[in-house]
Amino acid sequence: MQRMGVFGAGSIGMYLGGCLQAAGATVVYVGRPSMAQTLQAHGLRLTDYLGRDHHLDAAALNFSTTADALADCDVVLVTVKSAATAAAAAVLAAHLRPGTLVISFQNGVRNAEVLRTAMPAQTVLAGMVPFNVLNCGDGRFHQGSAGVLDVAADAGLAGCAALFARAGLPLSQQADMRAVLWGKLLLNLNNAINALSGVPLKAELSQRAYRRCLSLAQREALGLYAQAGITPMQLTALPPRWLARLLTVPDWLFQRLAQRMLAMDPLARSSMWEDLEAGRRTEVDWIQGEVVQLAAELGAIAPVSACLVALIREAEQAGAARQAWSGDELLARLRAASA
């Protein structure tokens, strides 16, 4: 059995690592001291929207706050926030043995490149987590939506693919992870909208005004993709351009046509909302910010994404006093920005 490691043991890291450990793997978690304290007090509980409920006792968890604990791992999952990727790469390069398989399960499109540049002795693969995981407190991490893990195809995955499958986390190996990541970015454009709304994802996506905000952001990004020659992978039942149109239909029709998209836990929220709640820096620069950067590279502008970046920055500064935007208010603001 391969020895697994998780670097950045937050919501995604604890959930993935916990599922692997529940399936029989030896897992080493590396994260913040605050997480260590929580796990020591409560253990680790894994739940999902389909009824999974598994508890790992605190004594069974190998948790460390330093990367040297990962020195003997065969596979390391990197789940730190995107802002910490460069620092994580430097630390991991100093501690992982040559040949270690490293998988970036992070938001954004460039994190694996950053890791790979700093870690030439290791095999670094891009990965993508399509589902939402919410930190419910007291050591409980809840998967609120569906999806299969995507990862760049590589022969080195042969030793761990069966383990991921037993853990309920089957790996879909992709020949073109660039297309996958740009496709996921389109869906992740909703993270900021959900964070600004202050309501759960299902409630937000059930309201036409919020969906129109997402449609504006997606259409803007798709126009830039076309200029840049980027073809995003289709990650939903509809191609990206059709999905952007579907988002604008009346609520009754959307609920009828997009049942799979709404098949999520009623309490699920975006990771960006969770970051705002915790007073942490968000990943908006690696989501909407990627669209703004792409526009700049093309000599163009991305006013919708730029506006969402600015609104999230305001929310970060306001903390608990931040505004909860109604769908109509946010839509009016984005339309004004793009006029």
Side-chain angles (χ1 to χ4, degrees):
M1 179 71 69
Q2 290 189 311
R3 186 176 176 87
M4 312 293 293
V6 174
F7 189 76
S11 296
I12 292 293
M14 289 308 307
Y15 188 80
L16 297 182
C19 289
L20 291 166
Q21 184 171 343
T26 298
V27 180
V28 180
Y29 308 84
V30 175
R32 296 187 179 96
S34 58
M35 181 63 73
Q37 294 168 6
T38 296
L39 297 173
Q40 185 61 39
H42 302 283
L44 175 60
R45 184 181 175 194
L46 310 166
T47 60
D48 71 15
Y49 71 108
L50 295 175
R52 176 203 285 265
D53 196 335
H54 190 93
H55 185 266
L56 294 168
D57 290 336
L61 302 173
N62 185 352
F63 194 98
S64 176
T65 58
T66 58
D68 56 353
L70 302 172
D72 293 329
C73 288
D74 304 294
V75 181
V76 174
L77 313 183
V78 178
T79 55
V80 299
K81 295 293 185 180
S82 296
T85 302
V91 170
L92 290 173
H95 292 289
L96 300 187
R97 64 188 181 214
T100 301
L101 183 64
V102 177
I103 307 176
S104 165
F105 280 125
Q106 301 168 270
N107 285 326
V109 297
R110 308 173 198 269
N111 287 304
E113 297 174 12
V114 173
L115 293 170
R116 193 175 296 117
T117 298
M119 305 171 65
Q122 288 75 33
T123 299
V124 179
L125 305 179
M128 189 272 282
V129 180
F131 49 77
N132 164 275
V133 175
L134 181 64
N135 182 349
C136 300
D138 295 338
R140 178 189 170 205
F141 296 89
H142 181 77
Q143 178 185 340
S145 54
V148 174
L149 299 177
D150 285 305
V151 65
D154 190 89
L157 293 169
C160 62
L163 171 60
F164 275 87
R166 287 199 304 276
L169 303 169
L171 298 175
S172 176
Q173 296 193 43
Q174 301 288 346
D176 187 359
M177 273 302 296
R178 181 174 183 266
V180 173
L181 294 176
W182 283 107
K184 174 68 182 305
L185 185 70
L186 288 172
L187 302 180
N188 274 352
L189 293 177
N190 188 53
N191 283 14
I193 296 166
N194 179 254
L196 293 168
S197 77
V199 300
L201 281 162
K202 188 168 186 176
E204 176 230 321
L205 289 171
S206 296
Q207 298 180 46
R208 189 183 189 190
Y210 287 126
R211 294 197 308 275
R212 283 178 164 175
C213 294
L214 177 56
S215 179
L216 283 176
Q218 289 188 345
R219 288 176 189 230
E220 176 180 83
L222 285 166
L224 295 167
Y225 284 14
Q227 292 182 52
I230 297 171
T231 302
M233 181 170 286
Q234 178 179 329
L235 300 177
T236 62
L238 291 176
R241 289 194 178 277
W242 292 12
L243 177 60
R245 294 176 184 174
L246 176 64
L247 291 169
T248 66
V249 304
D251 290 339
W252 68 268
L253 184 57
F254 184 79
Q255 290 174 9
R256 182 174 181 178
L257 298 178
Q259 293 182 21
R260 288 175 59 184
M261 191 171 180
L262 293 173
M264 65 180 72
D265 192 288
L267 299 180
R269 295 178 184 258
S270 72
S271 59
M272 199 171 296
W273 173 87
E274 190 174 340
D275 287 338
L276 288 179
E277 282 289 291
R280 295 190 295 259
R281 180 184 179 185
T282 71
E283 292 186 295
V284 70
D285 286 338
W286 288 267
I287 301 178
Q288 269 78 13
E290 287 287 359
V291 179
V292 174
Q293 180 176 335
L294 179 62
E297 291 170 356
L298 296 168
I301 58 173
V304 174
S305 284
C307 183
L308 287 167
V309 171
L311 292 178
I312 290 294
R313 287 282 172 258
E314 292 175 8
E316 290 175 344
Q317 292 296 317
R322 69 184 183 275
Q323 175 181 350
W325 290 76
S326 72
D328 289 334
E329 290 170 334
L330 186 58
L331 182 58
R333 182 66 175 269
L334 296 181
R335 282 175 168 169
S338 59

